[in-house]
Amino acid sequence: MRPVTVETLRLFLHILAATIWVGGQITLAALIPALRAAGTDVPMAAANAFNRVAWPAFGILVLTGIWNVEAEGDKGVAYQHTLLLKYTLVVSSGFTAFMHARVASRKAMGVFGALTGLTALAALFVGIMLAE
Ligand code: HEM
């Protein structure tokens, strides 16, 4: 049996938070048609409930992300460039999620919602590139 190390805990928390931020968005998007059929206010109630776990998960991603950077150290120019791309995607994902919850028009809400999902998925992909 391989030992449970601090690294195990660090990556477990980072990936767990990523499953909530990324997987939660995909699941909520898939549920929207059924939620709409249940009542006009139901999608907003579900989105608010998701936000109560999504933003703490985002916070944990940032904290464990900084821990990852510290623990992994400098692995050269290509790694630094990949990390910079990751930072850009994470900030974009957080910003578009913030806007998604505040814009008034359904069109703007849809655009920011889609951008939040796409940048979250891209951050996940680039995360794997960093871990390889
Ligand atoms: C939307 C937010 C984020 C998502 C979805 C995400 C996702 C991931 C995933 C899936 C991995 C691969 C873990 C593995 O295979 O071991 C990873 C690794 C990593 N992430 Fe994130 N992450 C996010 C935010 C951040 C932030 C904010 C930082 C830095 C401040 C960060 C820094 C890192 C580093 C350095 C690694 C490599 C760890 C290693 O080599 O063991 N991540 N991330």
Side-chain angles (χ1 to χ4, degrees), residues 62-101:
V62 173
L63 293 176
T64 55
I66 294 166
W67 187 6
N68 282 345
V69 173
E70 290 302 311
E72 298 299 326
D74 182 2
K75 294 186 178 175
V77 177
Y79 187 86
Q80 290 306 324
H81 288 166
T82 311
L83 201 50
L84 218 55
L85 173 61
K86 176 106 185 248
Y87 293 155
T88 310
L89 291 168
V90 172
V91 169
S92 308
S93 194
F95 173 72
T96 52
F98 178 81
M99 292 304 292
H100 171 67

PDB file of all heavy atoms in Angstrom, residues 62-101:
ATOM      1  N   VAL A  62      -7.975  28.085  -5.095  1.00  0.00           N
ATOM      2  CA  VAL A  62      -6.932  29.112  -5.081  1.00  0.00           C
ATOM      3  C   VAL A  62      -5.913  28.826  -3.971  1.00  0.00           C
ATOM      4  O   VAL A  62      -4.695  28.845  -4.217  1.00  0.00           O
ATOM      5  CB  VAL A  62      -7.557  30.514  -4.906  1.00  0.00           C
ATOM      6  CG1 VAL A  62      -6.476  31.573  -4.706  1.00  0.00           C
ATOM      7  CG2 VAL A  62      -8.432  30.862  -6.113  1.00  0.00           C
ATOM      8  N   LEU A  63      -6.408  28.471  -2.768  1.00  0.00           N
ATOM      9  CA  LEU A  63      -5.487  28.203  -1.641  1.00  0.00           C
ATOM     10  C   LEU A  63      -4.622  26.970  -1.912  1.00  0.00           C
ATOM     11  O   LEU A  63      -3.400  27.011  -1.757  1.00  0.00           O
ATOM     12  CB  LEU A  63      -6.286  28.023  -0.349  1.00  0.00           C
ATOM     13  CG  LEU A  63      -7.000  29.263   0.183  1.00  0.00           C
ATOM     14  CD1 LEU A  63      -7.844  28.921   1.417  1.00  0.00           C
ATOM     15  CD2 LEU A  63      -5.990  30.369   0.512  1.00  0.00           C
ATOM     16  N   THR A  64      -5.247  25.860  -2.372  1.00  0.00           N
ATOM     17  CA  THR A  64      -4.449  24.662  -2.644  1.00  0.00           C
ATOM     18  C   THR A  64      -3.611  24.849  -3.900  1.00  0.00           C
ATOM     19  O   THR A  64      -2.563  24.232  -4.049  1.00  0.00           O
ATOM     20  CB  THR A  64      -5.364  23.423  -2.810  1.00  0.00           C
ATOM     21  OG1 THR A  64      -6.353  23.687  -3.820  1.00  0.00           O
ATOM     22  CG2 THR A  64      -6.032  23.049  -1.512  1.00  0.00           C
ATOM     23  N   GLY A  65      -4.067  25.752  -4.802  1.00  0.00           N
ATOM     24  CA  GLY A  65      -3.273  26.063  -5.989  1.00  0.00           C
ATOM     25  C   GLY A  65      -1.963  26.743  -5.597  1.00  0.00           C
ATOM     26  O   GLY A  65      -0.889  26.382  -6.098  1.00  0.00           O
ATOM     27  N   ILE A  66      -2.059  27.712  -4.679  1.00  0.00           N
ATOM     28  CA  ILE A  66      -0.844  28.389  -4.186  1.00  0.00           C
ATOM     29  C   ILE A  66       0.063  27.372  -3.488  1.00  0.00           C
ATOM     30  O   ILE A  66       1.284  27.371  -3.689  1.00  0.00           O
ATOM     31  CB  ILE A  66      -1.244  29.531  -3.231  1.00  0.00           C
ATOM     32  CG1 ILE A  66      -2.002  30.621  -4.005  1.00  0.00           C
ATOM     33  CG2 ILE A  66      -0.028  30.118  -2.512  1.00  0.00           C
ATOM     34  CD1 ILE A  66      -2.731  31.622  -3.134  1.00  0.00           C
ATOM     35  N   TRP A  67      -0.549  26.484  -2.709  1.00  0.00           N
ATOM     36  CA  TRP A  67       0.201  25.408  -2.039  1.00  0.00           C
ATOM     37  C   TRP A  67       0.895  24.535  -3.085  1.00  0.00           C
ATOM     38  O   TRP A  67       2.069  24.201  -2.953  1.00  0.00           O
ATOM     39  CB  TRP A  67      -0.768  24.580  -1.183  1.00  0.00           C
ATOM     40  CG  TRP A  67      -0.151  23.544  -0.300  1.00  0.00           C
ATOM     41  CD1 TRP A  67       1.179  23.312  -0.064  1.00  0.00           C
ATOM     42  CD2 TRP A  67      -0.853  22.571   0.486  1.00  0.00           C
ATOM     43  NE1 TRP A  67       1.342  22.256   0.807  1.00  0.00           N
ATOM     44  CE2 TRP A  67       0.106  21.790   1.164  1.00  0.00           C
ATOM     45  CE3 TRP A  67      -2.221  22.304   0.689  1.00  0.00           C
ATOM     46  CZ2 TRP A  67      -0.244  20.742   2.016  1.00  0.00           C
ATOM     47  CZ3 TRP A  67      -2.572  21.260   1.534  1.00  0.00           C
ATOM     48  CH2 TRP A  67      -1.592  20.488   2.184  1.00  0.00           C
ATOM     49  N   ASN A  68       0.188  24.197  -4.183  1.00  0.00           N
ATOM     50  CA  ASN A  68       0.780  23.417  -5.277  1.00  0.00           C
ATOM     51  C   ASN A  68       2.015  24.120  -5.838  1.00  0.00           C
ATOM     52  O   ASN A  68       3.064  23.508  -6.031  1.00  0.00           O
ATOM     53  CB  ASN A  68      -0.235  23.250  -6.419  1.00  0.00           C
ATOM     54  CG  ASN A  68      -1.289  22.205  -6.158  1.00  0.00           C
ATOM     55  OD1 ASN A  68      -1.128  21.392  -5.256  1.00  0.00           O
ATOM     56  ND2 ASN A  68      -2.355  22.245  -6.937  1.00  0.00           N
ATOM     57  N   VAL A  69       1.872  25.431  -6.089  1.00  0.00           N
ATOM     58  CA  VAL A  69       2.980  26.203  -6.678  1.00  0.00           C
ATOM     59  C   VAL A  69       4.182  26.170  -5.748  1.00  0.00           C
ATOM     60  O   VAL A  69       5.319  25.925  -6.178  1.00  0.00           O
ATOM     61  CB  VAL A  69       2.539  27.652  -6.965  1.00  0.00           C
ATOM     62  CG1 VAL A  69       3.718  28.496  -7.413  1.00  0.00           C
ATOM     63  CG2 VAL A  69       1.433  27.682  -8.014  1.00  0.00           C
ATOM     64  N   GLU A  70       3.916  26.391  -4.453  1.00  0.00           N
ATOM     65  CA  GLU A  70       4.999  26.364  -3.465  1.00  0.00           C
ATOM     66  C   GLU A  70       5.649  24.982  -3.415  1.00  0.00           C
ATOM     67  O   GLU A  70       6.873  24.850  -3.449  1.00  0.00           O
ATOM     68  CB  GLU A  70       4.420  26.702  -2.071  1.00  0.00           C
ATOM     69  CG  GLU A  70       3.982  28.144  -1.895  1.00  0.00           C
ATOM     70  CD  GLU A  70       5.161  29.090  -2.148  1.00  0.00           C
ATOM     71  OE1 GLU A  70       6.240  28.852  -1.575  1.00  0.00           O
ATOM     72  OE2 GLU A  70       4.994  30.009  -2.995  1.00  0.00           O
ATOM     73  N   ALA A  71       4.826  23.943  -3.373  1.00  0.00           N
ATOM     74  CA  ALA A  71       5.335  22.573  -3.202  1.00  0.00           C
ATOM     75  C   ALA A  71       6.084  22.089  -4.445  1.00  0.00           C
ATOM     76  O   ALA A  71       7.103  21.401  -4.337  1.00  0.00           O
ATOM     77  CB  ALA A  71       4.170  21.624  -2.901  1.00  0.00           C
ATOM     78  N   GLU A  72       5.607  22.453  -5.614  1.00  0.00           N
ATOM     79  CA  GLU A  72       6.220  21.957  -6.851  1.00  0.00           C
ATOM     80  C   GLU A  72       7.457  22.752  -7.246  1.00  0.00           C
ATOM     81  O   GLU A  72       8.289  22.257  -8.003  1.00  0.00           O
ATOM     82  CB  GLU A  72       5.175  21.973  -7.978  1.00  0.00           C
ATOM     83  CG  GLU A  72       3.995  21.074  -7.732  1.00  0.00           C
ATOM     84  CD  GLU A  72       4.382  19.600  -7.595  1.00  0.00           C
ATOM     85  OE1 GLU A  72       5.333  19.175  -8.276  1.00  0.00           O
ATOM     86  OE2 GLU A  72       3.774  18.889  -6.752  1.00  0.00           O
ATOM     87  N   GLY A  73       7.543  24.028  -6.773  1.00  0.00           N
ATOM     88  CA  GLY A  73       8.729  24.827  -7.070  1.00  0.00           C
ATOM     89  C   GLY A  73       8.818  25.176  -8.555  1.00  0.00           C
ATOM     90  O   GLY A  73       7.914  24.895  -9.337  1.00  0.00           O
ATOM     91  N   ASP A  74       9.968  25.740  -8.950  1.00  0.00           N
ATOM     92  CA  ASP A  74      10.147  26.184 -10.335  1.00  0.00           C
ATOM     93  C   ASP A  74      10.628  25.015 -11.197  1.00  0.00           C
ATOM     94  O   ASP A  74      11.675  24.444 -10.924  1.00  0.00           O
ATOM     95  CB  ASP A  74      11.166  27.339 -10.383  1.00  0.00           C
ATOM     96  CG  ASP A  74      11.333  27.864 -11.805  1.00  0.00           C
ATOM     97  OD1 ASP A  74      10.645  27.354 -12.709  1.00  0.00           O
ATOM     98  OD2 ASP A  74      12.161  28.780 -11.993  1.00  0.00           O
ATOM     99  N   LYS A  75       9.852  24.645 -12.198  1.00  0.00           N
ATOM    100  CA  LYS A  75      10.215  23.513 -13.064  1.00  0.00           C
ATOM    101  C   LYS A  75      10.588  23.988 -14.464  1.00  0.00           C
ATOM    102  O   LYS A  75      10.384  23.274 -15.440  1.00  0.00           O
ATOM    103  CB  LYS A  75       9.050  22.529 -13.143  1.00  0.00           C
ATOM    104  CG  LYS A  75       8.728  21.827 -11.826  1.00  0.00           C
ATOM    105  CD  LYS A  75       7.658  20.774 -12.037  1.00  0.00           C
ATOM    106  CE  LYS A  75       7.325  20.009 -10.778  1.00  0.00           C
ATOM    107  NZ  LYS A  75       6.194  19.067 -10.987  1.00  0.00           N
ATOM    108  N   GLY A  76      11.073  25.247 -14.567  1.00  0.00           N
ATOM    109  CA  GLY A  76      11.559  25.704 -15.860  1.00  0.00           C
ATOM    110  C   GLY A  76      10.583  26.615 -16.589  1.00  0.00           C
ATOM    111  O   GLY A  76       9.446  26.813 -16.155  1.00  0.00           O
ATOM    112  N   VAL A  77      11.044  27.156 -17.727  1.00  0.00           N
ATOM    113  CA  VAL A  77      10.289  28.182 -18.472  1.00  0.00           C
ATOM    114  C   VAL A  77       8.951  27.649 -18.989  1.00  0.00           C
ATOM    115  O   VAL A  77       7.907  28.306 -18.829  1.00  0.00           O
ATOM    116  CB  VAL A  77      11.142  28.738 -19.634  1.00  0.00           C
ATOM    117  CG1 VAL A  77      10.334  29.756 -20.444  1.00  0.00           C
ATOM    118  CG2 VAL A  77      12.412  29.385 -19.095  1.00  0.00           C
ATOM    119  N   ALA A  78       8.943  26.465 -19.566  1.00  0.00           N
ATOM    120  CA  ALA A  78       7.701  25.917 -20.128  1.00  0.00           C
ATOM    121  C   ALA A  78       6.647  25.748 -19.026  1.00  0.00           C
ATOM    122  O   ALA A  78       5.472  26.077 -19.220  1.00  0.00           O
ATOM    123  CB  ALA A  78       7.984  24.566 -20.807  1.00  0.00           C
ATOM    124  N   TYR A  79       7.086  25.287 -17.850  1.00  0.00           N
ATOM    125  CA  TYR A  79       6.187  25.120 -16.714  1.00  0.00           C
ATOM    126  C   TYR A  79       5.625  26.478 -16.282  1.00  0.00           C
ATOM    127  O   TYR A  79       4.428  26.620 -16.048  1.00  0.00           O
ATOM    128  CB  TYR A  79       6.932  24.465 -15.552  1.00  0.00           C
ATOM    129  CG  TYR A  79       6.083  24.089 -14.361  1.00  0.00           C
ATOM    130  CD1 TYR A  79       5.428  22.865 -14.315  1.00  0.00           C
ATOM    131  CD2 TYR A  79       5.942  24.952 -13.282  1.00  0.00           C
ATOM    132  CE1 TYR A  79       4.644  22.506 -13.222  1.00  0.00           C
ATOM    133  CE2 TYR A  79       5.164  24.601 -12.182  1.00  0.00           C
ATOM    134  CZ  TYR A  79       4.527  23.380 -12.154  1.00  0.00           C
ATOM    135  OH  TYR A  79       3.754  23.034 -11.075  1.00  0.00           O
ATOM    136  N   GLN A  80       6.506  27.502 -16.236  1.00  0.00           N
ATOM    137  CA  GLN A  80       6.068  28.848 -15.823  1.00  0.00           C
ATOM    138  C   GLN A  80       5.050  29.413 -16.813  1.00  0.00           C
ATOM    139  O   GLN A  80       4.059  30.026 -16.415  1.00  0.00           O
ATOM    140  CB  GLN A  80       7.282  29.776 -15.700  1.00  0.00           C
ATOM    141  CG  GLN A  80       8.199  29.467 -14.534  1.00  0.00           C
ATOM    142  CD  GLN A  80       7.488  29.416 -13.185  1.00  0.00           C
ATOM    143  OE1 GLN A  80       6.548  30.186 -12.936  1.00  0.00           O
ATOM    144  NE2 GLN A  80       7.870  28.462 -12.339  1.00  0.00           N
ATOM    145  N   HIS A  81       5.286  29.190 -18.091  1.00  0.00           N
ATOM    146  CA  HIS A  81       4.335  29.677 -19.106  1.00  0.00           C
ATOM    147  C   HIS A  81       2.983  28.981 -18.952  1.00  0.00           C
ATOM    148  O   HIS A  81       1.924  29.605 -19.043  1.00  0.00           O
ATOM    149  CB  HIS A  81       4.888  29.449 -20.520  1.00  0.00           C
ATOM    150  CG  HIS A  81       6.017  30.376 -20.852  1.00  0.00           C
ATOM    151  ND1 HIS A  81       6.850  30.174 -21.937  1.00  0.00           N
ATOM    152  CD2 HIS A  81       6.457  31.499 -20.232  1.00  0.00           C
ATOM    153  CE1 HIS A  81       7.755  31.143 -21.972  1.00  0.00           C
ATOM    154  NE2 HIS A  81       7.534  31.949 -20.956  1.00  0.00           N
ATOM    155  N   THR A  82       3.029  27.673 -18.677  1.00  0.00           N
ATOM    156  CA  THR A  82       1.794  26.909 -18.497  1.00  0.00           C
ATOM    157  C   THR A  82       1.046  27.403 -17.254  1.00  0.00           C
ATOM    158  O   THR A  82      -0.179  27.540 -17.265  1.00  0.00           O
ATOM    159  CB  THR A  82       2.132  25.398 -18.353  1.00  0.00           C
ATOM    160  OG1 THR A  82       3.018  25.030 -19.416  1.00  0.00           O
ATOM    161  CG2 THR A  82       0.890  24.542 -18.438  1.00  0.00           C
ATOM    162  N   LEU A  83       1.810  27.704 -16.210  1.00  0.00           N
ATOM    163  CA  LEU A  83       1.216  28.217 -14.970  1.00  0.00           C
ATOM    164  C   LEU A  83       0.563  29.578 -15.195  1.00  0.00           C
ATOM    165  O   LEU A  83      -0.534  29.854 -14.696  1.00  0.00           O
ATOM    166  CB  LEU A  83       2.307  28.311 -13.899  1.00  0.00           C
ATOM    167  CG  LEU A  83       1.897  28.345 -12.430  1.00  0.00           C
ATOM    168  CD1 LEU A  83       0.937  27.227 -12.078  1.00  0.00           C
ATOM    169  CD2 LEU A  83       3.131  28.315 -11.539  1.00  0.00           C
ATOM    170  N   LEU A  84       1.220  30.417 -16.008  1.00  0.00           N
ATOM    171  CA  LEU A  84       0.671  31.738 -16.323  1.00  0.00           C
ATOM    172  C   LEU A  84      -0.658  31.595 -17.060  1.00  0.00           C
ATOM    173  O   LEU A  84      -1.629  32.306 -16.753  1.00  0.00           O
ATOM    174  CB  LEU A  84       1.683  32.501 -17.203  1.00  0.00           C
ATOM    175  CG  LEU A  84       1.824  33.993 -16.952  1.00  0.00           C
ATOM    176  CD1 LEU A  84       2.163  34.247 -15.483  1.00  0.00           C
ATOM    177  CD2 LEU A  84       2.902  34.577 -17.863  1.00  0.00           C
ATOM    178  N   LEU A  85      -0.705  30.651 -17.994  1.00  0.00           N
ATOM    179  CA  LEU A  85      -1.957  30.381 -18.714  1.00  0.00           C
ATOM    180  C   LEU A  85      -3.017  29.916 -17.729  1.00  0.00           C
ATOM    181  O   LEU A  85      -4.173  30.365 -17.778  1.00  0.00           O
ATOM    182  CB  LEU A  85      -1.728  29.306 -19.793  1.00  0.00           C
ATOM    183  CG  LEU A  85      -2.967  28.799 -20.514  1.00  0.00           C
ATOM    184  CD1 LEU A  85      -3.695  29.910 -21.252  1.00  0.00           C
ATOM    185  CD2 LEU A  85      -2.605  27.652 -21.472  1.00  0.00           C
ATOM    186  N   LYS A  86      -2.609  29.065 -16.781  1.00  0.00           N
ATOM    187  CA  LYS A  86      -3.556  28.566 -15.768  1.00  0.00           C
ATOM    188  C   LYS A  86      -4.115  29.714 -14.940  1.00  0.00           C
ATOM    189  O   LYS A  86      -5.318  29.803 -14.723  1.00  0.00           O
ATOM    190  CB  LYS A  86      -2.839  27.564 -14.864  1.00  0.00           C
ATOM    191  CG  LYS A  86      -3.682  27.032 -13.715  1.00  0.00           C
ATOM    192  CD  LYS A  86      -4.102  25.651 -13.957  1.00  0.00           C
ATOM    193  CE  LYS A  86      -5.037  25.155 -12.904  1.00  0.00           C
ATOM    194  NZ  LYS A  86      -4.472  24.139 -12.080  1.00  0.00           N
ATOM    195  N   TYR A  87      -3.248  30.626 -14.481  1.00  0.00           N
ATOM    196  CA  TYR A  87      -3.703  31.785 -13.704  1.00  0.00           C
ATOM    197  C   TYR A  87      -4.741  32.577 -14.499  1.00  0.00           C
ATOM    198  O   TYR A  87      -5.789  32.965 -13.970  1.00  0.00           O
ATOM    199  CB  TYR A  87      -2.547  32.717 -13.364  1.00  0.00           C
ATOM    200  CG  TYR A  87      -1.494  32.203 -12.420  1.00  0.00           C
ATOM    201  CD1 TYR A  87      -0.198  32.718 -12.456  1.00  0.00           C
ATOM    202  CD2 TYR A  87      -1.763  31.198 -11.509  1.00  0.00           C
ATOM    203  CE1 TYR A  87       0.788  32.267 -11.584  1.00  0.00           C
ATOM    204  CE2 TYR A  87      -0.784  30.732 -10.641  1.00  0.00           C
ATOM    205  CZ  TYR A  87       0.484  31.270 -10.689  1.00  0.00           C
ATOM    206  OH  TYR A  87       1.463  30.814  -9.835  1.00  0.00           O
ATOM    207  N   THR A  88      -4.445  32.810 -15.791  1.00  0.00           N
ATOM    208  CA  THR A  88      -5.352  33.594 -16.633  1.00  0.00           C
ATOM    209  C   THR A  88      -6.716  32.917 -16.737  1.00  0.00           C
ATOM    210  O   THR A  88      -7.755  33.562 -16.612  1.00  0.00           O
ATOM    211  CB  THR A  88      -4.734  33.747 -18.053  1.00  0.00           C
ATOM    212  OG1 THR A  88      -3.385  34.189 -17.911  1.00  0.00           O
ATOM    213  CG2 THR A  88      -5.526  34.703 -18.901  1.00  0.00           C
ATOM    214  N   LEU A  89      -6.692  31.594 -16.910  1.00  0.00           N
ATOM    215  CA  LEU A  89      -7.953  30.847 -17.034  1.00  0.00           C
ATOM    216  C   LEU A  89      -8.732  30.855 -15.723  1.00  0.00           C
ATOM    217  O   LEU A  89      -9.957  31.023 -15.722  1.00  0.00           O
ATOM    218  CB  LEU A  89      -7.651  29.411 -17.469  1.00  0.00           C
ATOM    219  CG  LEU A  89      -7.132  29.238 -18.894  1.00  0.00           C
ATOM    220  CD1 LEU A  89      -6.591  27.833 -19.111  1.00  0.00           C
ATOM    221  CD2 LEU A  89      -8.231  29.542 -19.907  1.00  0.00           C
ATOM    222  N   VAL A  90      -8.031  30.715 -14.603  1.00  0.00           N
ATOM    223  CA  VAL A  90      -8.714  30.688 -13.302  1.00  0.00           C
ATOM    224  C   VAL A  90      -9.345  32.045 -12.992  1.00  0.00           C
ATOM    225  O   VAL A  90     -10.508  32.126 -12.584  1.00  0.00           O
ATOM    226  CB  VAL A  90      -7.730  30.285 -12.177  1.00  0.00           C
ATOM    227  CG1 VAL A  90      -8.383  30.436 -10.813  1.00  0.00           C
ATOM    228  CG2 VAL A  90      -7.245  28.864 -12.376  1.00  0.00           C
ATOM    229  N   VAL A  91      -8.588  33.139 -13.228  1.00  0.00           N
ATOM    230  CA  VAL A  91      -9.138  34.481 -12.996  1.00  0.00           C
ATOM    231  C   VAL A  91     -10.335  34.725 -13.913  1.00  0.00           C
ATOM    232  O   VAL A  91     -11.374  35.235 -13.481  1.00  0.00           O
ATOM    233  CB  VAL A  91      -8.045  35.558 -13.224  1.00  0.00           C
ATOM    234  CG1 VAL A  91      -8.653  36.955 -13.248  1.00  0.00           C
ATOM    235  CG2 VAL A  91      -6.964  35.457 -12.153  1.00  0.00           C
ATOM    236  N   SER A  92     -10.223  34.289 -15.168  1.00  0.00           N
ATOM    237  CA  SER A  92     -11.341  34.454 -16.115  1.00  0.00           C
ATOM    238  C   SER A  92     -12.554  33.671 -15.654  1.00  0.00           C
ATOM    239  O   SER A  92     -13.676  34.168 -15.711  1.00  0.00           O
ATOM    240  CB  SER A  92     -10.928  33.978 -17.512  1.00  0.00           C
ATOM    241  OG  SER A  92      -9.727  34.580 -17.909  1.00  0.00           O
ATOM    242  N   SER A  93     -12.337  32.444 -15.158  1.00  0.00           N
ATOM    243  CA  SER A  93     -13.442  31.610 -14.707  1.00  0.00           C
ATOM    244  C   SER A  93     -14.152  32.251 -13.514  1.00  0.00           C
ATOM    245  O   SER A  93     -15.380  32.312 -13.465  1.00  0.00           O
ATOM    246  CB  SER A  93     -12.929  30.218 -14.328  1.00  0.00           C
ATOM    247  OG  SER A  93     -13.996  29.322 -14.194  1.00  0.00           O
ATOM    248  N   GLY A  94     -13.372  32.790 -12.587  1.00  0.00           N
ATOM    249  CA  GLY A  94     -13.969  33.445 -11.422  1.00  0.00           C
ATOM    250  C   GLY A  94     -14.707  34.721 -11.813  1.00  0.00           C
ATOM    251  O   GLY A  94     -15.839  34.965 -11.370  1.00  0.00           O
ATOM    252  N   PHE A  95     -14.080  35.521 -12.681  1.00  0.00           N
ATOM    253  CA  PHE A  95     -14.689  36.806 -13.084  1.00  0.00           C
ATOM    254  C   PHE A  95     -15.990  36.582 -13.857  1.00  0.00           C
ATOM    255  O   PHE A  95     -17.015  37.220 -13.578  1.00  0.00           O
ATOM    256  CB  PHE A  95     -13.708  37.618 -13.940  1.00  0.00           C
ATOM    257  CG  PHE A  95     -14.326  38.857 -14.529  1.00  0.00           C
ATOM    258  CD1 PHE A  95     -14.633  39.941 -13.723  1.00  0.00           C
ATOM    259  CD2 PHE A  95     -14.644  38.923 -15.886  1.00  0.00           C
ATOM    260  CE1 PHE A  95     -15.241  41.074 -14.255  1.00  0.00           C
ATOM    261  CE2 PHE A  95     -15.251  40.050 -16.427  1.00  0.00           C
ATOM    262  CZ  PHE A  95     -15.540  41.126 -15.610  1.00  0.00           C
ATOM    263  N   THR A  96     -15.967  35.650 -14.825  1.00  0.00           N
ATOM    264  CA  THR A  96     -17.177  35.432 -15.619  1.00  0.00           C
ATOM    265  C   THR A  96     -18.289  34.817 -14.774  1.00  0.00           C
ATOM    266  O   THR A  96     -19.463  35.110 -14.998  1.00  0.00           O
ATOM    267  CB  THR A  96     -16.866  34.537 -16.845  1.00  0.00           C
ATOM    268  OG1 THR A  96     -16.192  33.356 -16.408  1.00  0.00           O
ATOM    269  CG2 THR A  96     -16.027  35.259 -17.865  1.00  0.00           C
ATOM    270  N   ALA A  97     -17.920  34.006 -13.770  1.00  0.00           N
ATOM    271  CA  ALA A  97     -18.942  33.457 -12.865  1.00  0.00           C
ATOM    272  C   ALA A  97     -19.571  34.588 -12.048  1.00  0.00           C
ATOM    273  O   ALA A  97     -20.796  34.624 -11.858  1.00  0.00           O
ATOM    274  CB  ALA A  97     -18.318  32.424 -11.934  1.00  0.00           C
ATOM    275  N   PHE A  98     -18.730  35.517 -11.595  1.00  0.00           N
ATOM    276  CA  PHE A  98     -19.201  36.674 -10.824  1.00  0.00           C
ATOM    277  C   PHE A  98     -20.172  37.505 -11.668  1.00  0.00           C
ATOM    278  O   PHE A  98     -21.260  37.866 -11.218  1.00  0.00           O
ATOM    279  CB  PHE A  98     -17.999  37.522 -10.408  1.00  0.00           C
ATOM    280  CG  PHE A  98     -18.342  38.772  -9.640  1.00  0.00           C
ATOM    281  CD1 PHE A  98     -18.602  38.711  -8.281  1.00  0.00           C
ATOM    282  CD2 PHE A  98     -18.407  40.003 -10.282  1.00  0.00           C
ATOM    283  CE1 PHE A  98     -18.930  39.856  -7.575  1.00  0.00           C
ATOM    284  CE2 PHE A  98     -18.736  41.148  -9.585  1.00  0.00           C
ATOM    285  CZ  PHE A  98     -19.005  41.085  -8.232  1.00  0.00           C
ATOM    286  N   MET A  99     -19.806  37.765 -12.937  1.00  0.00           N
ATOM    287  CA  MET A  99     -20.659  38.547 -13.836  1.00  0.00           C
ATOM    288  C   MET A  99     -21.938  37.788 -14.172  1.00  0.00           C
ATOM    289  O   MET A  99     -23.016  38.372 -14.242  1.00  0.00           O
ATOM    290  CB  MET A  99     -19.885  38.866 -15.120  1.00  0.00           C
ATOM    291  CG  MET A  99     -18.721  39.821 -14.934  1.00  0.00           C
ATOM    292  SD  MET A  99     -19.232  41.367 -14.167  1.00  0.00           S
ATOM    293  CE  MET A  99     -20.246  42.049 -15.493  1.00  0.00           C
ATOM    294  N   HIS A 100     -21.830  36.479 -14.352  1.00  0.00           N
ATOM    295  CA  HIS A 100     -22.978  35.642 -14.716  1.00  0.00           C
ATOM    296  C   HIS A 100     -24.115  35.804 -13.708  1.00  0.00           C
ATOM    297  O   HIS A 100     -25.289  35.813 -14.063  1.00  0.00           O
ATOM    298  CB  HIS A 100     -22.531  34.185 -14.774  1.00  0.00           C
ATOM    299  CG  HIS A 100     -23.633  33.190 -14.936  1.00  0.00           C
ATOM    300  ND1 HIS A 100     -24.390  33.094 -16.072  1.00  0.00           N
ATOM    301  CD2 HIS A 100     -24.112  32.253 -14.089  1.00  0.00           C
ATOM    302  CE1 HIS A 100     -25.279  32.131 -15.927  1.00  0.00           C
ATOM    303  NE2 HIS A 100     -25.135  31.613 -14.731  1.00  0.00           N
ATOM    304  N   ALA A 101     -23.734  35.962 -12.439  1.00  0.00           N
ATOM    305  CA  ALA A 101     -24.745  36.079 -11.379  1.00  0.00           C
ATOM    306  C   ALA A 101     -25.280  37.503 -11.244  1.00  0.00           C
ATOM    307  O   ALA A 101     -26.234  37.727 -10.500  1.00  0.00           O
ATOM    308  CB  ALA A 101     -24.145  35.623 -10.058  1.00  0.00           C
TER     309      ALA A 101
END
